[in-house]
Amino acid sequence: MKVLVVGGGGREHALCWKIGQSPLVKSVYCAPGNAGISRHAECVDIGVTDFDSLARFVKEKSVDLTVVGPEQPLCEGITDFFEKEGLLVFGPSKAAAELEGSKIFSKNLMKKYGIPTGEYFVFSDMGQALAKTAEMEPPFVVKADGLAAGKGVIICRSREEGEDAVRSMMEQAAFGQAGTKVVIEEFLTGEEASFFAFTDGKNILPLEPSQDHKPIFDGDRGPNTGGMGAYAPAPLVTDELRLRIIDEVMIPTVRAMKSEGRTYRGILYAGLMIKDKSFKVLEFNCRFGDPEAQPLLMRMESDIVPVLYSISREEMNTDPLQWKDGFCVCVVMASDGYPGNYDKGVELKKAGDFEDTAETVVFHAGTAFSRDRLITSGGRVLGVTSLGATIEESISRAYRAVDSGSEQCLIYRTDIGKKALQEFKK
């Protein structure tokens, strides 16, 4: 079997790494890939939204399955395009991917079908949005409606910050077209968790709960990023909560999408705020999280390929997934200056010396080769991911690897996994 993975980040590196372990798979390709992915797949220089070239490559190489990693090609309709060409592809349709592509659509869907979420207000007129910020009791949240690479969410601690957030999105186009409409919603308190499930549009196959760390600095301070680290499983999500999330969020959402004529097939992500054994949905994503995919896929004992393949054929097997014992922690190393301005093309002198082991794998996100030099090519650069029998062992092992590969051009949080430790102390 031949598999093409579309994308070039840490999530796609983890997918290539995991897919390549399947005894069913003979060849793995990745478009466009990155320097680290080239160790586990043949990288092809095709952009993620160049559907014609991707489909042509799949036909030329007789690829059996295409797995789409990032949200942009999904929201632009790569699945619809491939299916019209008679090609098997894993990922939701354009209509279904609007669950992530439009926060307004997502919030309205939750309200209509009684899926728990925070109170919200939708605006396409900046004057009306500014008037709302003037009457909201801070803190509150301003979100760009469209895709913003995980950065279009601003927590406003004052009305002035709310006004600045609205103006940055709607007047200054800080997130391009994504901010022409905004959602202003109540600020939810508690702890965030990530919940993923495979679905064929009828059934769901849940993964382990995980926890991401979006703010750039320790203690969840500073602006949001695409994710600075993650761990799985998340002890915050107890067995009781897990069952309730499946029954009250995941299954109702799949059914709601089918009722709306947007049957959802692929991986469904719910970002949750959990407090006092209750939860509300912050957002949905239509793909694996990054960096949550890294620890989840390292802990997954089951072969992922039959799951991906069966969903693409609309015939998912619902046998529970098998998981390795223990915990897994991923620490993201990012370019200095991220999520703001940062330099690209900076040589990484130590990263190339990382030796992956059974317990620790360094997944590449923003890396490339320049001649024989390994260089940075993005904001998030590496995801150092380690297994351990305990959460303490996982954290210790990951940070030992981080310390050995630390470079002046890279920054990272030093508290990934601390929330899990605190949960065990309760």
Side-chain angles (χ1 to χ4, degrees):
M1 189 175 185
K2 297 179 181 179
V3 179
L4 168 67
V5 175
V6 175
R11 164 186 49 230
E12 288 75 38
H13 190 173
L15 282 166
C16 289
W17 174 85
K18 179 65 176 173
I19 289 168
Q21 295 172 23
S22 172
L24 301 173
V25 173
K26 179 176 69 173
S27 301
V28 183
Y29 305 97
C30 190
N34 62 41
I37 290 175
S38 66
R39 301 201 311 266
H40 299 107
E42 181 181 330
C43 292
V44 185
D45 188 19
I46 304 175
V48 299
T49 56
D50 187 351
F51 300 165
D52 284 309
S53 296
L54 288 169
R56 188 160 52 248
F57 175 84
V58 166
K59 293 174 182 177
E60 289 173 355
K61 293 291 185 178
S62 299
V63 170
D64 300 284
L65 175 66
T66 298
V67 179
V68 186
E71 62 273 24
Q72 185 182 2
L74 291 168
C75 290
E76 293 188 18
I78 188 172
T79 296
D80 309 68
F81 185 94
F82 269 49
E83 288 180 346
K84 286 179 182 177
E85 295 290 317
L87 305 172
L88 281 181
V89 57
F90 175 84
S93 66
K94 182 177 182 178
E98 194 170 0
L99 196 57
E100 176 173 4
S102 170
K103 291 182 177 63
I104 294 172
F105 171 81
S106 174
K107 296 290 283 189
N108 288 342
L109 183 91
M110 287 187 273
K111 182 178 180 180
K112 180 177 179 179
Y113 289 93
I115 297 163
T117 191
E119 185 180 10
Y120 68 101
F121 308 91
V122 172
F123 299 95
S124 57
D125 177 85
M126 188 176 72
Q128 293 177 1
L130 290 173
K132 191 63 184 179
T133 65
E135 66 181 49
M136 289 284 286
E137 191 66 36
F140 55 89
V141 183
V142 178
K143 296 181 178 181
D145 174 51
L147 298 177
K151 306 180 191 71
V153 176
I154 300 177
I155 298 172
C156 306
R157 306 288 178 182
S158 67
R159 293 187 177 97
E160 290 76 18
E161 287 184 8
E163 179 179 337
D164 290 343
V166 168
R167 289 191 182 279
S168 71
M169 293 179 190
M170 304 188 80
E171 185 174 61
Q172 299 159 18
F175 303 110
Q177 287 294 111
T180 55
K181 298 178 182 178
V182 300
V183 177
I184 300 176
E185 59 180 83
E186 68 170 310
F187 177 76
L188 300 175
T189 59
E191 287 285 341
E192 287 191 45
S194 302
F195 201 95
F196 295 86
F198 291 114
T199 178
D200 58 0
K202 302 182 291 292
N203 309 293
I204 73 159
L205 185 59
L207 281 70
E208 288 188 324
S210 55
Q211 209 158 355
D212 187 13
H213 302 66
K214 286 199 176 298
I216 185 69
F217 300 126
D218 285 9
D220 286 340
R221 295 177 298 108
N224 273 350
T225 70
M228 293 300 294
Y231 57 85
L236 171 68
V237 182
T238 63
D239 289 342
E240 178 190 353
L241 274 178
R242 178 181 178 275
L243 292 174
R244 286 183 54 209
I245 291 165
I246 291 170
D247 289 341
E248 298 174 33
V249 175
M250 308 308 285
I251 292 175
T253 301
V254 170
R255 289 176 177 169
M257 292 296 285
K258 188 172 184 180
S259 295
E260 294 291 309
R262 300 169 182 251
T263 298
Y264 192 104
R265 289 188 292 273
I267 184 92
L268 175 63
Y269 158 94
L272 303 162
M273 185 65 78
I274 298 175
K275 184 179 181 181
D276 299 332
K277 296 184 179 180
S278 64
F279 50 82
K280 291 184 178 180
V281 178
L282 295 168
E283 64 177 355
F284 287 112
N285 288 341
C286 62
R287 35 74 190 183
F288 268 108
D290 186 347
E292 296 102 323
Q294 288 86 306
L296 283 171
L297 293 176
M298 272 197 73
R299 286 207 68 247
M300 189 182 292
E301 190 77 67
S302 299
D303 187 344
I304 195 174
V305 173
V307 180
L308 303 176
Y309 186 71
S310 65
I311 290 173
S312 72
R313 294 170 58 89
E314 305 177 36
E315 52 184 23
M316 184 179 73
N317 188 322
T318 57
D319 290 341
L321 296 167
Q322 302 302 309
W323 301 92
K324 297 174 184 175
D325 292 333
F327 290 82
C328 193
V329 172
C330 173
V331 179
V332 170
M333 304 178 77
S335 296
D336 191 12
Y338 176 78
N341 296 324
Y342 55 85
D343 293 331
K344 294 183 181 180
V346 180
E347 184 175 4
L348 297 169
K349 297 180 180 179
K350 297 180 182 178
D353 295 331
F354 272 125
E355 291 289 339
D356 292 342
T357 67
E359 294 81 23
T360 300
V361 177
V362 179
F363 294 110
H364 288 221
T367 67
F369 285 118
S370 177
R371 297 178 183 173
D372 293 330
R373 298 184 310 136
L374 181 66
I375 62 171
T376 63
S377 63
R380 291 180 296 161
V381 180
L382 304 170
V384 181
T385 309
S386 293
L387 291 164
T390 63
I391 187 66
E392 292 92 343
E393 185 177 54
S394 303
I395 293 169
S396 176
R397 189 168 278 154
Y399 276 108
R400 282 200 303 272
V402 166
D403 290 343
S404 70
S406 181
E407 313 218 22
Q408 192 171 5
C409 65
L410 298 179
I411 59 172
Y412 55 90
R413 283 180 57 158
T414 63
D415 63 347
I416 305 301
K418 184 178 180 181
K419 294 176 184 177
L421 292 174
Q422 292 171 338
E423 282 295 322
F424 284 122
K425 292 177 182 177
K426 290 182 179 179

